[in-house]
Amino acid sequence: ALQLLASSAGFTDSLSKLHYKPTANFNGRDLITLTLVTTTGSVTETLNVQVTPVNDPPVIALSTSLLVAREDPEPQPLPLGITDPDLQETPGARLTVHLILAQADSGSLLLRQLAADDSNTTTPRQWWGNASASLILEGDVDDIHDLLAATVLAPALNWNG
């Protein structure tokens, strides 16, 4: 609640400087109730506010801007993560992530086989998928997090650059 005490001219000037700012990620209906009290009485008016949703852009999170991989074919985990506030708020929403190596001969993108209980990520796992310079991951936000955690770069033998 906001209370203004002012003369008539000061009150009008003060009202003209008020701005409405909804809380982050709020959308829907809101109300502003204005009550004016004078020595002769009071009057109340209500202003309906409709806050429209905004499509927040997805975010790609890199834990490092440089991945150093050895030239032997030992797969290297990718330092990637994604977030999309709108999809996290929408049950069943799906997204697609495209991973593309800029130099196709530098290696391959592979997925580590996901096990039912994959809590021990230091244990060697089988790799599946065709060796490819590009990979398309599709699923809900949790699926994509799991798939990104399982995606590795397998450098090409004797490649450097």
Side-chain angles (χ1 to χ4, degrees), residues 4-102:
L4 296 174
L5 301 174
S7 65
S8 178
F11 185 74
T12 301
D13 185 51
S14 296
L15 282 179
S16 70
K17 293 177 181 156
L18 289 177
H19 297 275
Y20 177 86
K21 182 179 179 183
T23 52
N25 295 318
F26 170 78
N27 65 75
R29 187 170 180 255
D30 202 356
L31 297 172
I32 298 174
T33 304
L34 173 66
T35 302
L36 175 62
V37 179
T38 67
T39 56
T40 59
S42 66
V43 62
T44 299
E45 289 291 335
T46 301
L47 175 63
N48 290 300
V49 179
Q50 182 64 42
V51 180
T52 57
V54 175
N55 185 8
D56 299 308
V59 176
I60 298 173
L62 299 173
S63 60
T64 181
S65 62
L66 175 64
L67 174 64
V68 178
R70 297 183 347 190
E71 66 178 274
D72 62 22
E74 180 63 31
Q76 302 291 316
L78 298 178
L80 298 173
I82 56 99
T83 57
D84 189 325
D86 295 327
L87 289 181
Q88 291 169 334
E89 297 168 0
T90 309
R94 300 181 64 76
L95 63 130
T96 303
V97 176
H98 296 258
L99 301 171
I100 302 168
L101 291 176

